[in-house]
Amino acid sequence: QSVLTQPPSASGTPGQRVTISCSGSSSNIGSNTVNWYQQLPGTAPKLLIYSNNQRPSGVPDRFSGSKSGTSASLAISGLQSEDEADYYCAAWDDSLNGLNYVFGTGTKVTVL
Amino acid sequence: QVQLQESGPGLVKPSQTLSLTCTVSGGSISSGGYYWSWIRQHPGKGLEWIGYIYYSGSTYYNPSLKSRVTISVDTSKNQFSLKLSSVTAADTAVYYCARGVEQQLVYFDYWGQGTLVTVSS
């Protein structure tokens, strides 16, 4: 069971803005940076956002990330059909058991 | 452009050891600065980090899998490997190898295509 909680689904029409939330705790998001990954159907995850709000080279600027307290968000502005995918947040979690890289429960984005 | 490719048996019997290898091209494992990792995804489910190895050989594992996991590196072949012992059906998953890069903290910027491993008799 993941320690980072995301809504199971989100949707929008082309051109709309979609926001995905990621809720954690003080041991993960509250004290560490957040990354976001996009997984297109049948493919490996791809890094979308790192260090809360940084985009790797080649990622369109309509993808943006933010963090506040123990929560983070991914926004997709100007939604396109090729954005239909699963999105996962991730962060390092420093618990009593040790350090662990944890992923969110995932959000399936549908373009209507 | 760095590329990673997983290889290994697609079927493993319960109680046996799962063994996978990741071959890295487009960059040298021994150049340093990266954390070579394994991540898995159970069918239809989310992602689970297994562990990573630095080119020097130092490792760090997911605490929940630590007792069964060994990750090793062969810099001469530009490969790193995963061994997961005493497998059960719960270890059936797509296994990905990935490159971890550190900026503030480690994140994973290049991934292999993944390989499905089924645990069944």
Side-chain angles (χ1 to χ4, degrees):
Chain A
Q1 190 169 349
S2 177
V3 297
L4 302 181
T5 303
Q6 300 177 234
S9 63
S11 62
T13 57
Q16 275 191 328
R17 176 183 172 91
V18 169
T19 301
I20 301 168
S21 61
C22 175
S23 178
S25 67
S26 59
S27 66
N28 41 68
I29 294 178
S31 50
N32 297 312
T33 56
V34 177
N35 311 307
W36 289 89
Y37 299 88
Q38 176 195 57
Q39 187 173 31
L40 296 170
T43 70
K46 167 192 166 185
L47 179 67
L48 203 61
I49 297 286
Y50 66 94
S51 298
N52 300 330
N53 54 18
Q54 302 299 301
R55 280 187 310 275
S57 174
V59 172
D61 61 5
R62 52 201 183 76
F63 292 95
S64 62
S66 63
K67 186 185 105 166
S68 179
T70 59
S71 294
S73 293
L74 173 72
I76 310 173
S77 58
L79 190 67
Q80 298 183 7
S81 58
E82 56 261 39
D83 299 333
E84 194 159 281
D86 293 325
Y87 293 83
Y88 295 92
C89 59
W92 286 95
D93 182 76
D94 193 0
S95 71
L96 290 174
N97 293 329
L99 209 55
N100 186 19
Y101 192 77
V102 293
F103 292 90
T105 49
T107 299
K108 183 175 184 60
V109 169
T110 301
V111 181
L112 302 171
Chain B
Q1 177 86 354
V2 174
Q3 291 185 311
L4 299 93
Q5 178 68 58
E6 305 87 354
S7 59
L11 181 63
V12 181
K13 288 183 167 48
S15 80
Q16 293 191 340
T17 295
L18 178 160
S19 296
L20 294 174
T21 296
C22 182
T23 301
V24 179
S25 58
S28 173
I29 283 182
S30 56
S31 64
Y34 300 108
Y35 298 79
W36 303 98
S37 310
W38 289 97
I39 296 163
R40 70 181 181 179
Q41 185 169 32
H42 295 101
K45 300 274 180 73
L47 298 155
E48 180 179 34
W49 175 72
I50 297 170
Y52 62 55
I53 188 166
Y54 198 55
Y55 80 102
S56 60
S58 60
T59 55
Y60 197 87
Y61 302 137
N62 182 326
S64 68
L65 297 170
K66 185 178 178 180
S67 63
R68 299 195 291 131
V69 173
T70 302
I71 298 176
S72 58
V73 65
D74 186 338
T75 54
S76 67
K77 294 182 180 178
N78 222 32
Q79 296 175 334
F80 62 104
S81 299
L82 167 71
K83 290 190 185 302
L84 182 65
S85 64
S86 305
V87 297
T88 69
D91 295 308
T92 294
V94 174
Y95 286 77
Y96 297 99
C97 57
R99 187 183 81 167
V101 59
E102 186 172 17
Q103 189 162 33
Q104 295 185 342
L105 291 172
V106 174
Y107 56 89
F108 304 103
D109 61 349
Y110 286 98
W111 296 58
Q113 66 185 29
T115 186
L116 174 63
V117 178
T118 301
V119 179
S120 175
S121 55

